[in-house]
Amino acid sequence: MSANDRTPAGGGHTRWTRFRLLAQVGLMLLLALVAVVLIIQIADRAELRLRRDLTVDSSNSLDTATLELLRKLPREVEVDVFYRSPQPPLGRAFNDALLSARDLLTIAAEQAPGKFFVNDVDLADLEATEARLEELGIDRSRLFFQTVYGEVLAALVLRSGERHTVLRLVPDMGRLAIPRPDPSQPRAVARLEDWRGEEALAEALGRISSDTAPRVLFSTGAGELDPNLPNESQFAAVRLGRALLDEGFALGTWDPDLESEVPSDCAVLVIAAPAEPLKEQALDAVRAYLEQGGRLLVAMGRAYREPEQDGLTRLLVPYGIYPQRGVVCEVVFDPLTGRPMDGEPEVAQLTLSGRQSMSANHPATKPMWERDRSVRLHLSRSFERRDIGQPGGILLEVLRSSESSWLDLPGADGRPDFRFDPGSEAGGAFHLALAAEFQAKPGSANTAGKLVALAGPSLLYDAYHNYNRDLVLNLINYLADRDFRVRVAARDPFRSRLDLNGSPAATQVAWVAGGLLPGLALLCGVLLFWRRRRD
């Protein structure tokens, strides 16, 4: 026996024994460190996590329809968050919307591991921000929301492959109640009153997962609205063009003087408020396009022009839609005096709520009817509904005025006086938008054609874009047969709670907290005691 292996006279350990104990402790520490690293890596793998949502309304999980859409994504999705907190009175409401959006994105990333990635863009680094926008192919202006207090930068950019779309926190994902500037109420603040973040996210995923971008063509040559042309006028439709790009459409124009036929790859043709009557050549081309199952959106032009002088009337009448003379007005009361504002142009400014003025059955208006969303029109005509003369044709109501409205007829000067004359002017509800569906010619690419007629162009104007954007986009998606809407259960984004009064969640929490965890601790103690007894 060597000197190193002998037991010292004092009963202590030999040098070899101390070395062996030190090596065992070091090995245990190393194994513990490796175990911790492995556990962290495993915890970072969402597909290996054991996840259970015990909240009352499943607010920490996505709806089944959204999950199915995420699982079927053909490519990875990157989400860039562009956000700058606005000043009061908007700051709190936008911050609430951002928190709700972050919660939604976190849940989506957890439940779609390897397919959904989120990146916060540092707006303080201007050079990096501009580089990222250029890489995404996004015009900076598309990220802003215009309010009475100025522009707010609050948007998500989703990209999958070469496709991208923009979701603004407001109004795409949520709606705010924004107080008007009022010195008498300096503490009034905006609030988030309607949140539809998951639906908006699902619709955006549907747009970017598609491999095709349907073409929306705007007719030109007769003074129509053209979103491709910059225009500083309040009657421009530039913001509509940007919204269509965000929706995943491709934009273009059709000039009947240059092309005798509507291009065959046109998914939706838009004739927006022509300043001059359309030529017969253009009308013939549009009729042929519709007979082949084409999709058309028409917005009537000047409200003061006689319907018979407008080429659009001859186009619409075979589909049961007849434009009427006059401007639709409704009773408006002066906020100071409480008296009707007879004779004032304000009576031609229509604010129409979803529940009272929109169809609850049409696919374009149903989601707006459910949330009682409003739209605004100005100097709008109306339509008389007649029998549709197309094979298999049906005529659907989309939008109507309130029962308190009347049709103000033009006077001797060709303009309305904005006063109700019960002797010569009709009162009641009037059709402001109608949709026709009909059979296409045999052998056409589409089995059915669709036509939507708007009685006034103000639905498309930039000045009313924040109010009318959703309705117009819904109508164009309806015409293009694109339906990315996903119905999810209504949930409060600010409530994520457990029901501890006898629900299954309460039983599970009590079992884990009062039984499983103490039991595991007791088992570890017993094993440790047994090991020491053996040693």
Side-chain angles (χ1 to χ4, degrees):
M1 180 181 295
S2 65
N4 289 336
D5 291 335
R6 295 195 191 102
T7 302
H13 296 290
T14 64
R15 184 180 302 175
W16 170 250
T17 302
R18 290 195 298 270
F19 175 78
R20 187 173 58 183
L21 290 174
L22 182 61
Q24 288 178 350
V25 172
L27 181 60
M28 291 178 64
L29 290 175
L30 179 61
L31 292 175
L33 180 61
V34 172
V36 169
V37 172
L38 289 175
I39 291 173
I40 292 175
Q41 289 182 346
I42 292 174
D44 199 42
R45 298 285 298 271
E47 66 271 19
L48 298 180
R49 296 176 191 169
L50 180 61
R51 188 180 189 278
R52 183 170 177 81
D53 187 359
L54 299 178
T55 54
V56 175
D57 57 357
S58 299
S59 56
N60 289 329
S61 298
L62 298 179
D63 189 84
T64 304
T66 311
L67 275 175
E68 187 65 20
L69 184 59
L70 280 170
R71 293 191 184 103
K72 292 182 179 179
L73 287 174
R75 298 173 296 273
E76 295 179 356
V77 174
E78 292 181 278
V79 182
D80 286 272
V81 181
F82 294 82
Y83 183 74
R84 180 180 292 119
S85 181
Q87 298 296 320
L90 304 176
R92 180 176 178 181
F94 271 93
N95 290 338
D96 287 342
L98 178 66
L99 289 175
S100 299
R102 286 191 185 280
D103 289 343
L104 177 64
L105 295 177
T106 300
I107 295 171
E110 289 181 348
Q111 298 195 269
K115 282 192 173 182
F116 198 90
F117 304 93
V118 182
N119 171 50
D120 286 295
V121 178
D122 183 9
L123 299 180
D125 190 341
L126 297 180
E127 184 176 346
T129 300
E130 293 299 329
R132 183 58 176 167
L133 288 173
E134 184 177 353
E135 180 184 354
L136 294 171
I138 297 292
D139 182 353
R140 185 183 181 89
S141 62
R142 292 164 63 186
L143 307 177
F144 288 87
F145 174 66
Q146 183 67 43
T147 74
V148 293
Y149 298 94
E151 291 184 328
V152 178
L153 175 59
L156 313 178
V157 178
L158 286 77
R159 185 175 72 166
S160 179
E162 298 299 321
R163 305 297 303 280
H164 70 262
T165 189
V166 177
L167 276 182
R168 291 172 298 170
L169 295 184
V170 179
D172 301 336
M173 303 183 76
R175 183 177 61 172
L176 299 187
I178 301 178
R180 286 280 178 183
D182 187 352
S184 64
Q185 295 182 341
R187 296 186 178 181
V189 296
R191 69 180 188 279
L192 182 62
E193 62 177 9
D194 182 24
W195 179 253
R196 56 178 298 270
E198 185 173 346
E199 291 185 35
L201 177 63
E203 293 166 10
L205 291 173
R207 293 194 291 271
I208 62 176
S209 62
S210 174
D211 292 326
T212 59
R215 292 189 70 201
V216 177
L217 301 184
F218 286 75
S219 66
T220 61
E224 302 97 324
L225 294 176
D226 182 0
N228 297 283
L229 299 177
N231 193 332
E232 299 300 328
S233 168
Q234 64 173 330
F235 304 119
V238 176
R239 299 177 71 184
L240 171 60
R242 294 172 182 166
L244 288 171
L245 292 174
D246 294 343
E247 198 76 3
F249 288 100
L251 297 186
T253 58
W254 172 63
D255 188 341
D257 290 334
L258 302 178
E259 298 178 88
S260 60
E261 297 180 350
V262 179
S264 58
D265 64 346
C266 175
V268 179
L269 177 64
V270 180
I271 304 177
E276 304 171 0
L278 296 182
K279 300 177 181 178
E280 197 62 35
Q281 172 190 349
L283 292 175
D284 289 341
V286 175
R287 293 189 185 103
Y289 171 69
L290 289 174
E291 290 176 356
Q292 297 295 324
R295 312 301 170 87
L296 176 66
L297 175 69
V298 171
M300 301 299 297
R302 296 177 182 175
Y304 308 132
R305 181 186 296 148
E306 293 294 327
E308 290 75 10
Q309 299 175 353
D310 196 330
L312 293 178
T313 300
R314 285 179 286 144
L315 179 65
L316 296 176
V317 167
Y319 298 92
I321 304 172
Y322 186 83
Q324 295 182 291
R325 296 177 66 238
V327 173
V328 178
C329 301
E330 66 179 359
V331 178
V332 177
F333 295 93
D334 190 307
L336 297 179
T337 65
R339 297 178 179 178
M341 301 180 67
D342 291 336
E344 300 293 335
E346 285 78 3
V347 299
Q349 175 84 44
L350 308 179
T351 300
L352 308 173
S353 68
R355 291 292 174 88
Q356 295 180 355
S357 302
M358 297 182 193
S359 170
N361 300 316
H362 195 278
T365 54
K366 183 178 179 180
M368 302 191 66
W369 181 90
E370 291 172 346
R371 291 179 171 80
D372 198 22
R373 297 287 300 274
S374 298
V375 296
R376 290 189 179 181
L377 289 83
H378 183 58
L379 293 175
S380 176
R381 285 184 177 181
S382 64
F383 293 128
E384 178 185 340
R385 184 171 179 166
R386 297 183 177 180
D387 293 334
I388 184 170
Q390 302 296 319
I394 58 173
L395 196 58
L396 307 171
E397 184 177 65
V398 175
L399 187 65
R400 64 179 179 274
S401 65
S402 66
E403 293 290 344
S404 63
S405 58
W406 77 91
L407 195 59
D408 203 63
L409 299 177
D413 59 353
R415 295 178 174 270
D417 60 4
F418 304 113
R419 296 180 183 276
F420 178 47
D421 182 357
S424 60
E425 296 174 341
F430 298 91
H431 299 296
L432 301 176
L434 293 171
E437 297 182 5
F438 45 90
Q439 293 180 2
K441 281 186 174 181
S444 302
N446 296 321
T447 58
K450 295 180 180 179
L451 184 154
V452 172
L454 309 178
S458 56
L459 278 171
L460 311 179
Y461 288 162
D462 284 350
Y464 302 101
H465 180 76
N466 288 343
Y467 303 100
N468 304 332
R469 174 184 180 274
D470 287 349
L471 176 60
V472 176
L473 291 181
N474 285 354
L475 288 171
I476 294 179
N477 276 315
Y478 154 74
L479 290 170
D481 291 332
R482 298 171 85 222
D483 188 1
F484 301 130
R485 292 183 298 275
V486 177
R487 299 273 72 80
V488 300
R491 290 181 265 190
D492 188 339
F494 306 112
R495 295 178 64 191
S496 180
R497 63 184 181 86
L498 302 176
D499 184 3
L500 299 180
N501 297 319
S503 70
T507 304
Q508 295 170 20
V509 171
W511 184 83
V512 172
L516 180 60
L517 295 180
L520 289 175
L522 179 61
L523 179 61
C524 290
V526 171
L527 291 175
L528 182 60
F529 174 77
W530 176 73
R531 179 64 183 270
R532 287 185 174 180
R533 289 283 294 179
R534 287 188 59 188
D535 294 340

